[in-house]
Amino acid sequence: MTEIICITTYPPRECGIATFSDDLIHAIETKFACSFTIKVCALASSSEQHIYNDQVKYILDTSKANEYNNIADRINEDSEVKMVLIQHEFGLYAEHKEAFLAFVHCIKKPVLIVFHTVLPHPSLTQKKDLIRLIDGCSAVIVMTQTSAAILEGDYGIEKEKINIIPHGTHLVSHKDKKKLKAKYNVTGRRILSTFGLLSPGKSIETTLEALPAIIKKNPNVLFLIIGKTHPTIIKQVGETYRNMLQNKIIELGITHSVRFVNLYLELPILLEYLQLTDVYLFTSDDPNQAVSGTFVYALSCGCPIIATPIPHALELLKDNSGLIFDFNNSTQLAEATNRLLGNEKLRSKMRIAGLQKTAATAWENTAIAYAHLFNKVLQKEQSLIYSLPPISIAHIKRMSRSFGMIQFSKGNRPDIKTGYTLDDNVRALMALCHVYVKTKDPSCEKYIKKYLTFIRYCQQPDGSFLNYVDKQLAFTTQNAEINLEDSNARAIYALGYFISLRGKFPDVWTEDATEIIEQTFDMIMKMKSPRSIAYIIKGLYHFEQAYPSKEVREMTMHLADQLVHYYHQNAENNWHWFEAYLTYDNSIIPESLLYAYQVIKNETYKETARESFHFLLHHIFTKEQIKVVSNQGWFQKEGNRNCYGEQPIEIAGTVMALSTFYSVFGEEQYLIKQQIAFSWFLGNNHLRQIIYNPATGGCYDGLEEHNINLNQGAESTVCYLLARLIIK
């Protein structure tokens, strides 16, 4: 464990940096619980004294110059502390600027500094002080490209020392806007909102002055001003600013259209307010404000945004992702607001663009970026150890309606228009059975019954299955246009697994599943696809565990022999595979031969499985990362391998196969690779972004070259869960 001291304001102190640090620390410790522990040196002053929790190890009173030396000595003498992370805002250290500068240089541990503001066009003194400050640090962190450019251009800081790590955002499980509006008593209103600790710099009056023109075109508009007055402002001048706003509201005759939410809201409530917002307004009048946490919170909740041109807004809202207006220009603000309120398609487009941009800045991804920087500065060669998320079936339940599991989603919301597939429901059956066996969660039972009923519905008189069902529960034309071998084989695999659990569910369920699978036996012998054969072998293996029979063993041997035949047909020189290409869910083919080996005890199956699997592993693993075959053109025997376009099904299949190979061969290399493979879901991929969404329990649909596919459909979510259930 590496202990890091974070020097920062910290809750219960109410300020933006305190909230930022709390979120950052929680994200790092949750994401890397076995790698890092973060302790806090809380900033206090004569006017800011608080009682802290155990996260706080030291308190630095910035109003006392000699305290800087005392804290530096204590940090230097603390053998547990390996690094210091300073959150910097000019006002925090202004009272004893020289003592602070000396303090940074006195610390003998590596120091990283996070600049929340970077002033452009500095005076000679400002430039000299900042350069001196940075000279005492091993690395600098800023949150925007603009801030990095200012440090380089205006201060002459070398590029190699500057690290851009965006302000984190909270992952949100998006809720129905109409229901949220009803919950907060704003049904029928078009909601504009802004939030944050209230102060004159927020320039809320700009919105108030714009409201009459907005109300003229949108009479049902309601502007929510969310947040308490900043504690420092209260101490200095009381509620003067809020009173001024209230008087202006009366003068303008807009009392029916403005509501104060004069509270420091808990995060879940704040996120609900932002989700019910139709347009978020950011009106800061400070051109030097580098970033805004309020701004990115709104983006992560899917709010279309209108903002003043601070650097953060200019970067995130380019490419028509939002609208920009000039500082203090209420006329421009009114025009922009009316434009957005009158154009639902534009709001929807901005919502999607904003969610895509902020996905990369989820706190989990910010934590990954910080962790990589920590290791770099500390020159630690070992790989990061990603913490395992708790097992969650929340998104699977959300995707499962009365008839079965819906195929696709928009974000994390099921898209019933896409209908259902047998593929998804048989995978869901296996996953929920596994969860039930592992946790005894009784809520799984009704879903398991639902998926079994769906399988029965899809079975045809000849024993085969159809795969595609629309929202009206009719079989679609896709069933005639697409080869359904793999879908049929997956159903057999899932049924076999379910039957192997007999005694854990009502006997009538097992009897029904047995009847269904036995009707497929004639079809089994006609399968040609290597993947289909592999699924069936696994299904027959599980079925045979419950009902041993010569017939099942003979079918298993026939299918395994067929796979070995395919292997000998295609394997040559440097190509050791069953086909002339690698496509999707590759790992199940060699894995299935190990299942056949366990039934038939034919050493050829075992040897072929190992040889082909090692060929696959050679092509998809580096030392510290997995990079599976792209779905863009696949990997042809005589062609070049395409990059990017990675899907969760391939990762999950590899994780499960590695578990099987370890159980047969007992070699640690398989467990090591399994951990590496699973960490792909947690951020160990070329984008260093999470694929599993812990806020929803869903899994994103794919990893592309520059972005994540943010939809959380059935296949990706269930495949993730199947992999997670295997990982210890």
Side-chain angles (χ1 to χ4, degrees), residues 194 198-209 223 241 244-245 281-286 308 325-329 333:
T194 193
L198 209 60
S199 66
K202 299 283 186 183
S203 193
I204 305 296
E205 59 271 24
T206 302
T207 301
L208 298 182
E209 290 162 2
F223 177 41
Y241 183 63
M244 182 276 289
L245 295 177
L281 305 177
F282 179 81
T283 55
S284 168
D285 61 3
D286 180 5
T308 48
F325 74 102
D326 292 335
F327 294 109
N328 305 309
N329 193 322
L333 177 57

Side-chain angles (χ1 to χ4, degrees), residues 597-724:
Y597 165 74
Q598 292 175 82
V599 175
I600 309 300
K601 303 303 180 185
N602 185 330
E603 289 292 326
T604 299
Y605 301 161
K606 185 179 179 182
E607 292 165 9
T608 306
R610 185 178 176 89
E611 190 173 89
S612 57
F613 194 50
H614 280 235
F615 166 78
L616 176 64
L617 297 180
H618 171 74
H619 283 286
I620 63 176
F621 274 93
T622 63
K623 182 180 178 182
E624 297 180 348
Q625 204 169 84
I626 187 172
K627 193 168 187 62
V628 295
V629 175
S630 167
N631 64 0
Q632 299 171 16
W634 308 118
F635 180 15
Q636 305 294 326
K637 183 177 183 179
E638 302 298 338
N640 294 321
R641 178 179 173 182
N642 292 324
C643 296
Y644 313 115
E646 299 175 59
Q647 295 179 301
I649 183 175
E650 187 69 17
I651 304 294
T654 305
V655 169
M656 291 186 279
L658 285 162
S659 179
T660 303
F661 272 79
Y662 176 73
S663 70
V664 173
F665 292 100
E667 296 176 11
E668 190 180 4
Q669 61 163 317
Y670 296 122
L671 288 184
I672 293 170
K673 282 185 166 58
Q674 186 188 62
Q675 295 290 337
I676 293 171
F678 188 77
S679 68
W680 179 91
F681 289 108
L682 308 180
N684 186 20
N685 50 61
H686 76 268
L687 289 184
R688 293 183 176 177
Q689 292 183 30
I690 57 170
I691 311 296
Y692 171 68
N693 184 330
T696 65
C699 180
Y700 297 132
D701 281 348
L703 175 70
E704 307 300 336
E705 182 176 2
H706 301 295
N707 65 279
I708 304 293
N709 181 337
L710 296 183
N711 294 326
Q712 297 162 53
E715 177 182 282
S716 54
T717 295
V718 177
C719 284
Y720 163 80
L721 181 59
L722 287 167
R724 172 64 185 87

